[in-house]
Each structure stands twice: as structure tokens, then as C-alpha cells.
């Protein structure tokens, strides 16, 4: 136990002052930098083996025993229990890439780890961390300018979807769902084109919903031009299909008003009970009639209603859906052009939503049912309905589909592309190395280091594909320079052709540019920290 000194407060009460200096640690200078770099490299090395179409998956087990199998960088890091503060920065780096771009979450962490590995060697040679950070920034500027120079344009056109499908297939190539590669890519492209606003060059993800249901095959995944609700009609005898639906969207329950006081109602005799029952029936009938008077032929209610109200709705031939959640009810209102009504008295014909058909989906012999609202007034609202053998597959399919949707959205915003398979990184690496020769200051060493760090991506791709990494990289690099062809990359799939344009391995310029910029920003941040204090 630490020794303590006895002191007295203003009232004469004694308290002990503990000497805790022996329980504190402090790292400064080069030791602090080495500690940071080690933590960042450790995180990057975990993700390195997950890069590319032949990358390996990670199995994550949560504290309550739930298993997740994925190779999505942001998901892996988000589920890891990371203690070191610099490792947490790497987690945030991956999350930033996911939030901003949606794709490249593994690549950005691998690149940041490689940059810090190179920075460690420069620190050992006595170069100041600020000069290293400045050199990295200069190199990143050269690399991004070079990427823009070698990028290709292609038009994003509803009539010609093939380019978009090829880009989505590149994104999905490294995922579990790549066995129905083309089918998933087509769904992602159709989904984005359905909600895209080409005038503003924007895609509203609020109009998209992803719904998963265990059972069936991944190939059964489909795109619904409308909304899927994980509910069924409130009464089994209600019709399973409503055509030309005029929908009342209610957030008020089908039940008599309750007294909002502390008084209680005692029913002491049969007559009182009958009066109460008659009052409730009168109220139910009035509510149902108010809905019918507007011309509505379908009710969607946020709250539940009891058997009596349910039976009355059936008698009055008014199909109903109950317990529809807040976000779902908002999406239905957007899709059908209806208004959410909080009180029966406010319901009018103008506030009804409109849909061509509302039908019930059934799954084989199970009791699982879902409702599909199609041919909506706002045709831009869509739902991707994912099927799979188990919950784990469905969750991974959702993550993969999200990545593909983000990539297509980025192409709608900026239709420039570069070629994958490490081709863009190798070409940028050569450009940065040439630019470093023209720099006379100390930063040229950092620029050369940046050039080497860029090669970590193609090296990891080759390694994960079972190819000899250094030999494969050297071969592709020499061919790129000799043939002046920036499209040559690592042939991960052993197709016999290293030209990524022929293989249709395409990445968005937006994603590649963001990877470089975010990796450099995090490296600069880490290199500028030279003091760590921690208390135990």
C-alpha cells in the first residue's frame, strides 16, 4: 500500500493524502511514438488478412455468445473490445470511411498501418515527426492528383446499367454473398436508380429499407418497389389482398377514451356492466365509421386494439394492420403520400395514403407472414427483402448490400472510377516516388516512405490470394512502367489477365481518394502525440 500523510480539514476532521505517483505511468518522446505505432500496426495486421476477394473472414463472439462472421473492416473493428487509445483511433478511422463512403473500410486501416510502419523507420533515422507528417501530406497530394489523372469517366444512365453492375460486383467480390454475385449487384443498382435524384446528383437512403427473413436461399432475395412490413392483417379472416388501397395511417388506438384522473370506476351490478359495454361498442362503431366515411379501405395503426374492435373491423369489412412501429409508419406515409393522423376527428379523405396493391406474403408451410405495399404514390420508396439460411448470413448480406449501395450512390454523385486489384495504388506509388526525386528537402524521405506504404495494399492482395507477394508486385510494377498502363493490378482470381479493365474490377475515385486522405489525417494526428499519461 502507498504511504500516506495525515492532514486535517477546516473542521478538524482528519483525512489521508495518498502518494500515488508510483501507480502512474508516463511515456514521452520517441517511446510514446513507438507505443502508438505498435498499437496501430497491431490493429492493421488483424485486418490485413481480410483484404481482397480471397481475404479471410473473422468470427466475432459477443459477450452474450452471439456469433458474427464478416470481413467488413468497420464491423470487425466496431465489435472488437479495444483498450488502447490509439487502437480506438483506428476503429474511428474505419467508421469514418464507412459513414462517409461506405466502402474501403479494410483498405483504409491497412494503409494507415503501413504508413505508420514506414514512419517508425524514419523516426529511427532521427527525422522529426512533424517533417514526416508534412512529407506524407505532400505525397498524398501527388497521389490524389495522379488518381484524378488516370481515372476514367462513365455515364450513369438508367438505360445502360452494365457499368454500375460491374462496379457493384467488385464491391461484393470479397463478401460471403459472392455466390449470387450478379443477382445481388443488380438489386443494388436497381435500388439506387429507383431513388436517385439525377438533377441534384444525390441518393436519399431514407427512402430505402432493408428487411431480412430467415429461410429460403440468398437467390430468393428480391427488390420490392414499395414497403415491406413485418406484420400481418389483424384478423385471420380479413382479405389477404387489398387492391387500389386507400390507407388511413393512425397513431391513435381503437379503444374508448380512458379517464385521465386518479379516480377508478367500480362496476357493481350487471346493468352497469351492460351500460359500459354499450358505451364501448358505441365508441368503437363511431371510430370505425369515421374511418369508413373518408373512403378508406385499409387501416394501419401504430397501436394495438382489442378483440372487440378487431371483430367490428372485420364486420365492417375494413382490413387493419396493428402494432406498426414508428420508423415503418413514417416510411409508409412517405411511400403512399399519406398523412399520419393522431386523432380520429382529424381524419379526412385528403390525408389518406394510396397504393396499387397491399398483399400478404407467406413463406412455405410456416406461419411467417409479411405485408407488401406496392405501386405506391411515391414510387421512389423501395425495400430490399433479403432471404438466407440463418440470421448470421442475413446480417452479413445486409452489410454487403449496404457497401454496394454506397458505391453506386458515390457513382451517381461523381462518376469517375479507377481500377482495383491494387492497380491504382501501384500507379500512384510510382508517381509519388518520381515526385520525391524532385524534392530537395528532408520531406523526400517521407514521400518515398509513402510510396512504399501504398504498395502494402497490392502486397496484401497477392498474399491473401496465395501468390508470392514481392515477386508478383515487382512484376506488375515493372509492366506498368514499361507499358505505361495504370490498369494493371494483382490477378487475385488467377484469370490469366492482369488488366483490371478487362476483368471489370472497378472502384470509385471517391472511395480511393477518401482512403488516402483519411489515412494521412490519422497518421498526422498520431505522429503529433508525444506524451501519454495513464493512471491505474
Amino acid at each position: 500500500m502507498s504511504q500516506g500523510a495525515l492532514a486535517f480539514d477546516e473542521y478538524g476532521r482528519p483525512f489521508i493524502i495518498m502518494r500515488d505517483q508510483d501507480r502512474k505511468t508516463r511515456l514521452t518522446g520517441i517511446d510514446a511514438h513507438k507505443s502508438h505505432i505498435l498499437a496501430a500496426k497491431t490493429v492493421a495486421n488483424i485486418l490485413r488478412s481480410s483484404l481482397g476477394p480471397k481475404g479471410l473472414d473473422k468470427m466475432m463472439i459477443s459477450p452474450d455468445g452471439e456469433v458474427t462472421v464478416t470481413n467488413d473492416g468497420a464491423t470487425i473493428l466496431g465489435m472488437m473490445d479495444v483498450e488502447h487509445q490509439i487502437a480506438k483511433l483506428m476503429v474511428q478511422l474505419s467508421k469514418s470511411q464507412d459513414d462517409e463512403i461506405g466502402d474501403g473500410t479494410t483498405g483504409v486501416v491497412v494503409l494507415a498501418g503501413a504508413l505508420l510502419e514506414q514512419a517508425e523507420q524514419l523516426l529511427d533515422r532521427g527525422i522529426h515527426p512533424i517533417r514526416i507528417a508534412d512529407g506524407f501530406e505532400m505525397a498524398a497530394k501527388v497521389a490524389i492528383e495522379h488518381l484524378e489523372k488516370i481515372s476514367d469517366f462513365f455515364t450513369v444512365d438508367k438505360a445502360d446499367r452494365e457499368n454500375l453492375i460491374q462496379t457493384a460486383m467488385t464491391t461484393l467480390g470479397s463478401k460471403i454473398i459472392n455466390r449470387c454475385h450478379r443477382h445481388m449487384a443488380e438489386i443494388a443498382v436497381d435500388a439506387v436508380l429507383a431513388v436517385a435524384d439525377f438533377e441534384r446528383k444525390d441518393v436519399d437512403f431514407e427512402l430505402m429499407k432493408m428487411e431480412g427473413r430467415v429461410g429460403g436461399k440468398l437467390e430468393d432475395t428480391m427488390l420490392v418497389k414499395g414497403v415491406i412490413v413485418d406484420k400481418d392483417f389483424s384478423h385471420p379472416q380479413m382479405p389477404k389482398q387489398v387492391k387500389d388501397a386507400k390507407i388511413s395511417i393512425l397513431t391513435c388506438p381503437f379503444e374508448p377514451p380512458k379517464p385521465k384522473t386518479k379516480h377508478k370506476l367500480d362496476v357493481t351490478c350487471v346493468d352497469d356492466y351492460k351500460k359500459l359495454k354499450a358505451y364501448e361498442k358505441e365508441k368503437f362503431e363511431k371510430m370505425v365509421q369515421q374511418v369508413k366515411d373518408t373512403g378508406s379501405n385499409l387501416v394501419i395503426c401504430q397501436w394495438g386494439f382489442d378483440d372487440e374492435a378487431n371483430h367490428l373491423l372485420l364486420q365492417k369489412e375494413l382490413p387493419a394492420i396493428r402494432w406498426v412501429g414508428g420508423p415503418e409508419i413514417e416510411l409508409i406515409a412517405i411511400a403512399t403520400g399519406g398523412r399520419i393522423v393522431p386523432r380520429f376527428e382529424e381524419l379526412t379523405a385528403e390525408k389518406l395514403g394510396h397504393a396499387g396493391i397491399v398483399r400478404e406474403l407467406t413463406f412455405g408451410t410456416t406461419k411467417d407472414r409479411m405485408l407488401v405495399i406496392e405501386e405506391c404514390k411515391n414510387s421512389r420508396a423501395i425495400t430490399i427483402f433479403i432471404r438466407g439460411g440463418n440470421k448470421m448470413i442475413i446480417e452479413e448480406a445486409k452489410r454487403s448490400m449496404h457497401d454496394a449501395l454506397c458505391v453506386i450512390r458515390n457513382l451517381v454523385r461523381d462518376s469517375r472510377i479507377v481500377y482495383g486489384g491494387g492497380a491504382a495504388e501501384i500507379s500512384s506509388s510510382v508517381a509519388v516516388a518520381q515526385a520525391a526525386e524532385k524534392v530537395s528537402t528532408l520531406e523526400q524521405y517521407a514521400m518515398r516512405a509513402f510510396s512504399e506504404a501504398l504498395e502494402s495494399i497490392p502486397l496484401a492482395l497477392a498474399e491473401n490470394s496465395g501468390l508470392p507477394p514481392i515477386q508478383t508486385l515487382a512484376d506488375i510494377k515493372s509492366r506498368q512502367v514499361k507499358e505505361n498502363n495504370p490498369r494493371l493490378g494483382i490477378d487475385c482470381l488467377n484469370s490469366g489477365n492482369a488488366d483490371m479493365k478487362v476483368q471489370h474490377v472497378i472502384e470509385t475515385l471517391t472511395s480511393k481518394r477518401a482512403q488516402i486522405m483519411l489515412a494521412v489525417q490519422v497518421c498526422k494526428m498520431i505522429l503529433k502525440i508525444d506524451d501519454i499519461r495513464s493512471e491505474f
Side-chain angles (χ1 to χ4, degrees):
M1 183 177 166
S2 300
Q3 288 182 331
L6 194 63
F8 296 90
D9 65 8
E10 57 196 289
Y11 299 109
R13 293 178 301 207
F15 61 89
I16 296 173
I17 301 170
M18 304 297 293
R19 296 191 184 93
D20 276 342
Q21 290 302 316
D22 58 329
R23 299 175 70 188
K24 293 181 181 178
T25 62
R26 182 174 174 182
L27 285 172
T28 56
I30 197 79
D31 290 334
H33 285 124
K34 289 281 180 74
S35 168
H36 305 157
I37 290 167
L38 179 64
K41 271 164 55 181
T42 305
V43 173
N45 287 338
I46 290 168
L47 287 196
R48 191 183 165 92
S49 60
S50 294
L51 194 66
K54 296 288 181 80
L56 304 175
D57 293 339
K58 302 277 183 276
M59 181 184 276
M60 317 296 291
I61 302 167
S62 68
D64 57 357
E66 194 175 325
V67 174
T68 304
V69 175
T70 182
N71 69 354
D72 179 65
T75 307
I76 293 168
L77 290 179
M79 296 185 74
M80 275 169 57
D81 191 13
V82 177
E83 287 295 325
H84 199 287
Q85 300 308 313
I86 300 299
K88 284 180 180 174
L89 266 181
M90 299 297 272
V91 173
Q92 286 166 13
L93 165 66
S94 186
K95 191 174 186 310
S96 303
Q97 178 79 11
D98 196 35
D99 294 344
E100 194 70 26
I101 306 297
D103 189 36
T105 51
T106 308
V108 70
V109 176
V110 171
L111 180 59
L115 284 170
L116 289 167
E117 199 170 333
Q118 294 293 332
E120 188 175 20
Q121 295 172 21
L122 296 175
L123 287 169
D124 288 340
R125 291 164 73 176
I127 299 174
H128 194 277
I130 296 299
R131 302 296 291 272
I132 298 170
D134 290 347
F136 281 174
E137 206 153 40
M138 288 164 66
K141 198 175 176 186
V142 171
I144 288 166
E145 283 172 5
H146 181 71
L147 283 173
E148 288 175 356
K149 203 184 295 176
I150 64 169
S151 65
D152 278 357
F153 278 89
F154 67 65
T155 51
V156 175
D157 185 9
K158 283 189 176 183
D160 181 19
R161 298 150 56 238
E162 192 54 36
N163 285 331
L164 294 172
I165 290 168
Q166 296 294 348
T167 314
M169 284 173 73
T170 304
T171 308
L172 297 171
S174 60
K175 310 294 182 187
I176 279 178
I177 63 172
N178 65 1
R179 68 186 179 84
C180 41
H181 208 165
R182 172 103 194 172
H183 177 60
M184 289 294 195
E186 285 176 357
I187 287 174
V189 171
D190 290 342
V192 172
L193 291 180
V195 301
D197 184 339
F198 287 99
E199 285 180 19
R200 288 172 52 230
K201 288 198 166 183
D202 194 28
V203 177
D204 186 1
F205 272 17
E206 292 295 316
L207 293 169
M208 286 187 198
K209 186 184 168 199
M210 251 188 277
E211 197 68 62
R213 179 55 67 99
V214 173
K217 301 175 290 188
L218 272 172
E219 287 86 344
D220 297 335
T221 297
M222 61 181 176
L223 177 67
V224 176
K225 297 282 180 71
V227 182
I228 290 185
V229 187
D230 192 4
K231 302 287 172 194
D232 56 356
F233 286 111
S234 60
H235 197 290
Q237 289 179 22
M238 283 177 180
K240 304 301 177 198
Q241 191 168 297
V242 179
K243 288 185 177 175
D244 191 23
K246 297 177 184 69
I247 307 167
S248 306
I249 305 167
L250 306 174
T251 55
C252 43
F254 273 98
E255 58 182 34
K258 291 185 173 66
K260 303 290 182 189
T261 64
K262 290 181 182 177
H263 301 296
K264 63 178 182 176
L265 180 66
D266 287 329
V267 178
T268 54
C269 63
V270 175
D271 288 344
D272 286 352
Y273 177 75
K274 283 180 179 174
K275 281 179 191 173
L276 182 62
K277 191 179 176 186
Y279 168 75
E280 283 192 358
K281 191 176 180 186
E282 183 194 332
K283 282 290 179 185
F284 282 145
E285 285 180 342
K286 187 182 173 187
M287 289 169 184
V288 173
Q289 198 55 48
Q290 281 174 324
V291 175
K292 292 282 282 186
D293 289 346
T294 62
S296 173
N297 59 358
L298 177 65
V299 176
I300 293 177
C301 187
Q302 188 176 8
W303 305 107
F305 33 84
D306 64 15
D307 290 343
E308 191 174 348
N310 201 11
H311 186 68
L312 194 62
L313 287 164
L314 176 68
Q315 277 184 329
K316 298 281 186 180
E317 296 179 351
L318 188 60
I321 308 161
R322 54 185 167 186
W323 297 120
V324 180
E328 285 178 324
I329 218 163
E330 284 177 19
L331 192 60
I332 291 166
I334 293 167
T336 59
R339 294 276 298 277
I340 297 171
V341 179
R343 295 169 69 234
F344 286 99
E345 290 77 11
E346 292 176 20
L347 189 61
T348 60
E350 293 76 43
K351 293 180 181 178
L352 299 180
H354 296 272
I357 185 167
V358 178
R359 60 190 173 89
E360 201 171 74
L361 277 180
T362 53
F363 306 106
T365 55
T366 65
K367 289 182 181 177
D368 281 347
R369 290 182 182 86
M370 295 178 100
L371 287 167
V372 185
I373 303 168
E374 291 177 301
E375 299 169 26
C376 299
K377 191 173 180 182
N378 179 357
S379 60
R380 291 173 63 216
I382 57 104
T383 305
I384 297 169
F385 184 45
I386 296 171
R387 304 301 306 279
N390 58 34
K391 190 182 173 189
M392 188 182 70
I393 293 283
I394 287 171
E395 291 303 317
E396 180 64 0
K398 281 184 181 178
R399 284 189 286 269
S400 307
M401 191 59 81
H402 174 259
D403 285 2
L405 291 170
C406 289
V407 166
I408 308 301
R409 176 196 62 185
N410 294 338
L411 282 172
V412 171
R413 288 178 175 174
D414 182 352
S415 59
R416 288 177 293 174
I417 54 151
V418 291
Y419 294 95
E425 283 87 351
I426 295 168
S427 186
S428 300
S429 170
V430 172
V432 170
Q434 287 170 353
E437 302 298 328
K438 298 171 190 167
V439 175
S440 58
T441 57
L442 198 62
E443 278 78 11
Q444 63 169 291
Y445 290 100
M447 289 181 76
R448 285 200 195 97
F450 188 95
S451 169
E452 283 186 40
L454 281 172
E455 292 173 359
S456 66
I457 301 284
L459 276 171
L461 285 172
E463 198 175 323
N464 293 345
S465 304
L467 304 169
I470 295 169
Q471 184 186 327
T472 309
L473 175 63
D475 176 42
I476 296 295
K477 197 173 176 181
S478 65
R479 280 182 61 193
Q480 268 208 22
V481 175
K482 201 185 294 178
E483 299 170 26
N484 192 25
N485 183 0
R487 300 189 300 272
L488 294 173
I490 307 296
D491 180 16
C492 298
L493 301 173
N494 292 321
S495 65
N497 193 327
D499 192 324
M500 295 295 121
K501 189 172 185 177
V502 176
Q503 280 201 36
H504 299 297
V505 181
I506 305 165
E507 293 184 57
T508 60
L509 175 64
T510 317
S511 170
K512 199 57 72 181
R513 192 170 51 198
Q515 279 185 43
I516 291 173
M517 287 165 66
L518 284 169
V520 168
Q521 280 174 10
V522 165
C523 289
K524 273 182 69 178
M525 195 188 299
I526 291 171
L527 286 168
K528 285 182 178 178
I529 301 169
D530 75 334
D531 194 344
I532 307 176
R533 299 165 184 242
S534 61
E535 295 181 19
F536 300 102

